[in-house]
Amino acid sequence: MLLIDLDGCAPQKQRLNELFNDFKEFAWRIEKCLKELQFFKDNSRRLRVVIAARCLIDLPLDRTFPKLILSPFNWEVIQDTATKYLKPIEMTSESLALLAGHLLYLTGGHPGGIAEALKVYRDGCYTVSWLLNSYGNQLWEKNLKKCRDQIKESLTKENNHLYESIEKLSIFPILNGTWILKEAVRRFKLPFSDDSFKLNAELTKTSIFTRDKTIIKDGMTRRLLVIGLLRETSPDNFQELCSEAAQICWEYIHELKSKNNSAVAGTWSMQYFFQSLQKHAGFINFGPNSLAYRQELRNDFFDKTVEETLGIFRNTDREQFHEFIYTLKSEVENDWEFQFVVNYYLHNDEYNDAPYRYLIQKLDEAIQNN
């Protein structure tokens, strides 16, 4: 595979045409050389060329390529990668699972950050706890912060008033409701004078905006913004912001209930669960009492957060409740990021999917009992 990475320095349109013409000549020379190799002669191998760039927005019309969405690594991919890469090190499956969880928590699934962390880990023969407690800051400062700064620079060039808004709004995995955006502008004190319509109009002018469920096109960008927000403010300030987001979701669920829109309420109930956990991001791993903190959070989440949310629709008719609960369960089962958040924020000494399975069990019991 030949990878051409233009990320962070998008050329002008005229120069872009010159680059493509140069590339065609370059590719022809590569083809001529590869034809002499046996595994290309018998067609058992193919050369793949990938042109990767976050900034290739204005491609010439005669240059058409299929778009490949680059996704962040989920927990399963990270665990599989770590298992293969760390084979020289004797590690139990439990240690590898916890390591993969820490890597996803620290990097948001960023492939480059994960690769760098695994290399450091293998070369130094460190412990899993060292990676979390001692290497996390270094990983951010030397690797991930540079990626976040590129995003910040790009957005600031497009509109220097927008970055603060987009950074704070990035804590929402989805943000496709006018009501939600209006409340976020007001409560987060975004620089748009309580005018969410003006913010929405400005967002549509940027390269990062999409109207399909989320305000930020790619999940990796959003996660880097969230990690930066946590690391460069304070755990308390981050918690306050996510708590406000959770309250917005909670009120929106009741608003949807009043309009008999139980299916959409199911979607936003999962978002309420997400914010209720995410607000603890700065506390779940730090200090000698972090395990006790997560155990208390686990009890509070299942006994209060989940039960109180299910209770919103328990007094409605059976059809409405089932529409709500089935939508909620479907959202949970099809969102790997939320599943990870549940498992990681509520794990004990070992990382596994027991918290997620318990959540599904509670949703199934709610269906059976109503």
Side-chain angles (χ1 to χ4, degrees):
M1 177 184 287
L2 172 64
L3 175 66
I4 301 174
D5 188 355
L6 303 177
D7 189 25
C9 52
Q12 297 296 320
K13 190 171 183 178
Q14 179 181 352
R15 180 57 184 145
L16 194 58
N17 273 304
E18 294 173 0
L19 282 171
F20 277 113
N21 289 332
D22 292 343
F23 171 70
K24 285 170 62 178
E25 174 67 20
F26 180 52
W28 178 82
R29 293 184 182 182
I30 293 177
E31 179 186 12
K32 187 176 179 181
C33 295
L34 292 179
K35 279 182 177 179
E36 302 303 315
L37 300 176
Q38 184 61 42
F39 52 71
F40 282 105
K41 284 182 179 180
D42 60 17
N43 290 322
S44 63
R45 296 289 188 276
R46 293 188 302 168
L47 172 68
R48 294 184 62 205
V49 178
V50 177
I51 301 177
R54 185 179 286 117
C55 304
L56 286 183
I57 302 164
D58 189 21
L59 284 173
L61 294 178
D62 59 336
R63 318 291 185 185
T64 56
F65 299 91
K67 292 182 180 179
L68 303 176
I69 305 300
L70 299 180
S71 301
F73 285 0
N74 61 27
W75 178 83
E76 285 80 7
V77 172
I78 298 172
Q79 185 192 40
D80 184 56
T81 303
T83 301
K84 293 175 180 176
Y85 187 74
L86 300 177
K87 261 188 176 178
I89 303 175
E90 289 188 10
M91 295 183 68
T92 64
S93 58
E94 291 80 9
S95 293
L96 282 165
L98 186 59
L99 177 68
H102 290 333
L103 285 173
L104 184 49
Y105 167 79
L106 290 171
T107 67
H110 189 277
I114 292 165
E116 178 67 22
L118 285 176
K119 182 179 183 302
V120 169
Y121 186 84
R122 188 175 74 168
D123 292 349
C125 294
Y126 296 107
T127 63
V128 174
S129 60
W130 173 88
L131 184 92
L132 176 68
N133 299 322
S134 301
Y135 183 64
N137 289 335
Q138 182 180 336
L139 179 63
W140 168 254
E141 291 294 335
K142 291 190 175 182
N143 192 296
L144 300 176
K145 187 175 184 293
K146 295 178 182 177
C147 300
R148 195 288 311 272
D149 287 346
Q150 287 181 353
I151 299 167
K152 184 175 182 177
E153 182 182 0
S154 176
L155 289 174
T156 303
K157 284 181 180 178
E158 293 186 32
N159 186 319
N160 60 1
H161 298 297
L162 269 180
Y163 180 75
E164 179 189 346
S165 297
I166 291 177
E167 183 183 48
K168 287 184 177 179
L169 293 173
S170 68
I171 66 172
F172 287 98
I174 66 170
L175 192 57
N176 61 340
T178 303
W179 192 94
I180 294 284
L181 187 60
K182 176 171 69 74
E183 289 300 308
V185 168
R186 180 174 67 85
R187 301 187 197 193
F188 292 175
K189 297 180 174 58
L190 301 183
F192 282 88
S193 303
D194 290 347
D195 189 346
S196 61
F197 296 102
K198 182 180 179 182
L199 171 59
N200 191 68
E202 291 299 319
L203 286 168
T204 59
K205 299 175 185 178
T206 72
S207 61
I208 204 170
F209 181 73
T210 174
R211 293 184 182 276
D212 181 21
K213 290 192 78 174
T214 175
I215 207 164
I216 298 176
K217 281 182 182 177
D218 90 80
M220 191 65 260
T221 294
R222 179 182 63 78
R223 292 182 187 91
L224 284 175
L225 292 176
V226 172
I227 293 170
L229 191 63
L230 172 61
R231 288 190 170 273
E232 295 180 353
T233 56
S234 72
D236 290 322
N237 288 338
F238 186 82
Q239 184 173 58
E240 183 178 347
L241 190 67
C242 292
S243 295
E244 198 66 65
Q247 184 62 28
I248 291 173
C249 294
W250 177 258
E251 293 175 14
Y252 190 43
I253 297 166
H254 284 81
E255 175 80 6
L256 292 166
K257 179 190 176 184
S258 69
K259 296 178 179 178
N260 296 321
N261 197 340
S262 52
V264 179
T267 297
W268 281 94
S269 291
M270 190 189 80
Q271 297 306 314
Y272 172 64
F273 291 169
F274 183 92
Q275 297 297 343
S276 298
L277 293 173
Q278 182 177 242
K279 69 182 182 181
H280 299 279
F283 303 100
I284 57 170
N285 283 319
F286 300 101
N289 298 319
S290 58
L291 176 58
Y293 187 97
R294 290 195 304 272
Q295 290 174 334
E296 183 178 351
L297 175 60
R298 179 170 179 157
N299 293 334
D300 185 70
F301 177 73
F302 287 118
D303 296 342
K304 294 182 181 178
T305 304
V306 174
E307 286 299 322
E308 289 174 358
T309 305
L310 297 180
I312 297 173
F313 280 85
R314 278 210 171 98
N315 295 326
T316 59
D317 63 78
R318 195 162 183 246
E319 181 180 351
Q320 193 174 0
F321 179 81
H322 276 244
E323 186 177 38
F324 161 74
I325 198 71
Y326 275 116
T327 303
L328 172 56
K329 185 182 178 186
S330 176
E331 292 283 346
V332 170
E333 290 178 328
N334 289 284
D335 192 310
W336 69 262
E337 182 181 8
F338 176 71
Q339 293 172 22
F340 167 74
V341 166
V342 170
N343 288 331
Y344 188 76
Y345 281 55
L346 306 179
H347 77 275
N348 289 319
D349 287 325
E350 296 179 359
Y351 176 92
N352 53 48
D353 67 346
Y356 166 70
R357 286 188 282 106
Y358 185 58
L359 176 59
I360 294 297
Q361 178 186 326
K362 288 185 76 69
L363 297 181
D364 285 337
E365 288 173 354
I367 293 170
Q368 294 167 5
N369 295 332
N370 288 272

